[in-house]
Amino acid sequence: YVALFTYESPQPGDLTFQEGDVILVSQREGEWWKGAIGDRIGLFPSNYVKPKESDARGKKRQKGWFPAAHVTVLGSNSGKSTPAPQPVCQVIAIYDYTAANGDEMSFSKGQLINVLSKNNPDWWQGELNGVTGLFPTNYIQMTTTDCDPSQQWCAGLASLDTMSTQERKRQGYIHELMETEEKYVEDLQIVLEVFHKPMSESGRLTEAEMVMLFVNWKEALRVRKKTGGDNMPVQVVGDILAAELAHMQPYIRFCSCQINGAALLQTRTDNQPEFKDFLKKLATDYRCKGMPLSSFLLKPMQRITRYPLHIKNILESTAEGHVDRGPLKEALERAEELCQQVNEGVREKENSDRLEWIQNHVQCDGITENLVFHSLTNCLGPRKLLYSGKMHKAKSNKELWAFLFNDFLLLTHTSKQFTSSGPDKLFSNKNNLQLKMYKALRVRKKTGGDNMPVQVVGDILAAELAHMQPYIRFCSCQINGAALLQRRTTSQPEFKDFL
């Protein structure tokens, strides 16, 4: 193989080289390969090299028939093939995941994945049906205790023999939390040094684009501190976790805005090859271990969602009456509350962006007053978009686009047919579709005339209210209808898509 870039590393055991050096590769496993230059042997990132072109490329290749009895098929155990890496353990997918980059792998909920490497706490390397790649660890769960990190800590601890099995497990989970937290803080710092600083200095992005991409990354780094000392075992960790989680509000803003930053990054890399090459070169820094910026930007959201799992593991391994149980319960409540706030922030940001899109792409002709979608409703608080999608009239088969808000249903149509595979495509910034309101909004019968001032209104209200008995039945039965709708949409994806 030939080196594409110069690789320098202070890590012992790494193989350093200059651009253009020829490397004899002896082992290819994942993102880090083993090779030699002369008498120097070590590890290096695989994306730094490319296959060397054959010296015999000028010779004419021979093609023709040959007898099958004179050859044998090379099996997987042949010395000619590279031995496959042995799995570290096996995990099961708890969600569907679609690869966002070429070095990642896709899988479906319930599939078993062979883990090949766990060098990064948030992105492991795995194999599924012969395909290898990276995958996010918060999409999977362990299948056996062989991979239990609580069994792989402080092997030389002097007091290990005096601990109960439960306490060993507890200390293992605490060790895992502290170790992964330290790695996470390092990753935050890497983003600032490897990506943020050179991107800002290069002038390739405007100040507004830098803010959209990194949001409040520096603030998120400032609120992170070590969760405990280096001395093991740890007696109490819940109080530190509870105090730390109380100061993580900046994560709500970052996670809410991160989807827009990811969209900006995707657009720039798709449309500007030189920008894509620039980011790829930045990612060749040895500290990145071959991971692109897009993967690093997902880490805050991944870390937030893993806090409840870490704390639950510690709490379940903490004996009743232990001094740490109360603080751990408080920490768990704060972690779950933080996750809820982050999820709500993401939903609110998505709702705000979609309301803004509707404001700019839907012409509401035929109504007397200007309709501001991103505003307060009359009595239901802020307006929210609940569902959107395409529908057809039964008789004419006319195509309509429907937007169901928490206070009204809006039907629209367009002169140009638009094919969409989902709501994300409809609300994309690249979509310049213009819609028109299908029919003017209909409201309940007006309670009075338009002439002001009004002398008498009580008699009209009394007459109207006398005929509102149907509302009693509807409101009494609505909770059952809501429960039925929730069950059907949860258990039947096709019904959810239909709605």
Side-chain angles (χ1 to χ4, degrees):
Y1 286 77
V2 179
L4 291 170
F5 316 102
T6 297
Y7 176 61
E8 298 177 351
S9 170
Q11 301 293 326
D14 281 7
L15 179 67
T16 59
F17 45 77
Q18 302 293 318
E19 181 180 349
D21 285 353
V22 178
I23 304 165
L24 180 61
V25 177
S26 59
Q27 190 174 9
R28 294 179 296 177
E29 291 187 7
E31 303 300 322
W32 288 84
W33 292 358
K34 187 176 183 179
I37 301 176
D39 58 353
R40 294 188 298 113
I41 301 175
L43 300 175
F44 63 91
S46 60
N47 59 341
Y48 274 57
V49 299
K50 69 174 181 178
K52 183 183 178 184
E53 295 180 1
S54 172
D55 296 332
R57 59 184 175 182
K59 296 181 181 180
K60 185 176 180 181
R61 299 173 62 194
Q62 290 182 323
K63 293 186 292 184
W65 296 94
F66 60 90
H70 287 209
V71 298
T72 181
V73 178
L74 288 175
S76 58
N77 296 325
S78 169
K80 297 288 186 180
S81 62
T82 303
Q86 294 300 311
V88 177
C89 63
Q90 199 173 55
V91 297
I92 187 169
I94 54 177
Y95 309 106
D96 294 340
Y97 181 71
T98 303
N101 297 287
D103 59 348
E104 298 174 12
M105 59 182 288
S106 302
F107 50 79
S108 301
K109 180 180 179 181
Q111 287 189 302
L112 293 175
I113 303 169
N114 293 317
V115 178
L116 305 179
S117 172
K118 301 194 293 182
N119 291 335
N120 188 296
D122 297 319
W123 290 86
W124 290 354
Q125 186 184 39
E127 179 271 333
L128 177 65
N129 298 329
V131 178
T132 61
L134 298 174
F135 61 90
T137 54
N138 57 338
Y139 276 66
I140 55 92
Q141 68 180 11
M142 298 294 181
T143 57
T144 67
T145 56
D146 296 336
C147 300
D148 189 346
S150 67
Q151 309 298 323
Q152 303 171 11
W153 72 282
C154 56
L157 191 64
S159 59
L160 192 61
D161 294 336
T162 64
M163 292 183 186
S164 65
T165 302
Q166 185 180 21
E167 182 60 21
R168 288 187 192 181
K169 196 170 186 179
R170 166 182 152 81
Q171 293 297 325
Y173 283 126
I174 293 175
H175 176 72
E176 180 197 19
L177 171 63
M178 294 168 62
E179 191 175 48
T180 54
E181 185 71 8
E182 184 177 346
K183 182 65 176 67
Y184 169 63
V185 174
E186 289 176 2
D187 287 336
L188 293 182
Q189 190 65 42
I190 287 172
V191 170
L192 288 182
E193 296 175 2
V194 176
F195 294 103
H196 186 279
K197 184 177 179 181
M199 289 174 69
S200 179
E201 293 174 348
S202 71
R204 295 174 183 268
L205 294 173
T206 65
E207 186 176 344
E209 288 175 325
M210 287 291 291
V211 171
M212 181 181 292
L213 194 58
F214 295 101
V215 198
N216 57 339
W217 194 274
K218 292 182 180 179
E219 188 180 6
L221 179 58
R222 280 197 298 270
V223 301
R224 301 309 308 116
K225 298 177 182 178
K226 293 182 69 175
T227 54
D230 296 325
N231 297 323
M232 297 291 289
V234 177
Q235 295 301 318
V236 180
V237 73
D239 55 345
I240 302 174
L241 290 171
E244 287 287 303
L245 288 163
H247 297 96
M248 289 194 187
Q249 301 307 310
Y251 279 84
I252 299 174
R253 181 186 167 206
F254 176 85
C255 296
S256 301
C257 301
Q258 193 269 329
I259 190 171
N260 290 339
L264 169 65
L265 189 64
Q266 187 66 44
T267 300
R268 294 295 295 270
T269 52
D270 288 345
N271 300 331
Q272 299 180 14
E274 67 280 0
F275 181 73
K276 181 178 180 180
D277 294 339
F278 172 67
L279 287 184
K280 190 173 182 180
K281 189 172 182 179
L282 293 180
T284 59
D285 188 292
Y286 74 93
R287 290 171 291 179
C288 295
K289 292 182 168 41
M291 284 179 51
L293 174 60
S294 57
S295 296
F296 277 101
L297 293 178
L298 291 173
K299 285 183 175 290
M301 186 67 165
Q302 292 174 333
R303 190 61 185 164
I304 288 296
T305 57
R306 290 190 74 84
Y307 281 130
L309 177 61
H310 281 300
I311 299 172
K312 278 182 183 177
N313 287 338
I314 299 173
L315 182 60
E316 290 173 357
S317 303
T318 302
E320 290 288 344
H322 194 289
V323 66
D324 205 18
R325 278 194 69 86
L328 280 170
K329 287 181 179 180
E330 181 184 356
L332 180 59
E333 289 178 3
R334 291 190 177 182
E336 291 176 339
E337 182 182 3
L338 179 63
C339 284
Q340 291 174 359
Q341 290 174 338
V342 166
N343 290 332
E344 183 60 30
V346 171
R347 286 192 292 267
E348 288 180 1
K349 185 66 172 65
E350 181 182 72
N351 183 69
S352 174
D353 290 344
R354 292 187 173 186
L355 290 178
E356 184 178 351
W357 187 94
I358 295 172
Q359 191 75 55
N360 296 328
H361 292 78
V362 177
Q363 301 176 24
C364 295
D365 300 329
I367 55 177
T368 56
E369 60 183 63
N370 182 37
L371 178 59
V372 179
F373 288 95
H374 198 337
S375 62
L376 293 174
T377 63
N378 289 335
C379 56
L380 297 174
R383 181 167 291 111
K384 295 181 180 180
L385 177 64
L386 306 179
Y387 293 101
S388 63
K390 184 167 57 176
M391 57 197 310
H392 295 85
K393 295 191 66 177
K395 292 183 179 180
S396 65
N397 203 38
K398 182 179 178 64
E399 181 181 277
L400 300 176
W401 282 91
F403 302 92
L404 177 62
F405 303 93
N406 56 338
D407 58 339
F408 68 91
L409 171 67
L410 175 64
L411 299 179
T412 66
H413 66 100
T414 177
S415 56
K416 182 176 71 173
Q417 190 170 2
F418 171 67
T419 303
S420 169
S421 59
D424 292 337
K425 294 289 185 181
L426 176 65
F427 296 107
S428 169
N429 291 329
K430 298 179 181 179
N431 183 13
N432 295 318
L433 181 71
Q434 290 296 320
L435 300 167
K436 292 184 178 180
M437 190 168 65
Y438 178 56
K439 287 186 177 181
L441 299 173
R442 296 184 177 181
V443 297
R444 282 187 68 255
K445 182 179 177 182
K446 295 175 68 175
T447 56
D450 295 327
N451 297 324
M452 296 293 290
V454 177
Q455 296 299 320
V456 179
V457 72
D459 56 344
I460 301 174
L461 291 171
E464 285 286 311
L465 289 165
H467 297 93
M468 289 192 182
Q469 301 305 312
Y471 279 78
I472 299 175
R473 182 186 172 203
F474 176 85
C475 295
S476 303
C477 302
Q478 192 269 335
I479 190 170
N480 292 335
L484 169 65
L485 187 64
Q486 182 65 33
R487 287 198 303 271
R488 292 290 297 273
T489 54
T490 302
S491 61
Q492 300 178 16
E494 66 278 7
F495 180 70
K496 181 179 180 180
D497 293 339
F498 170 70
L499 288 184

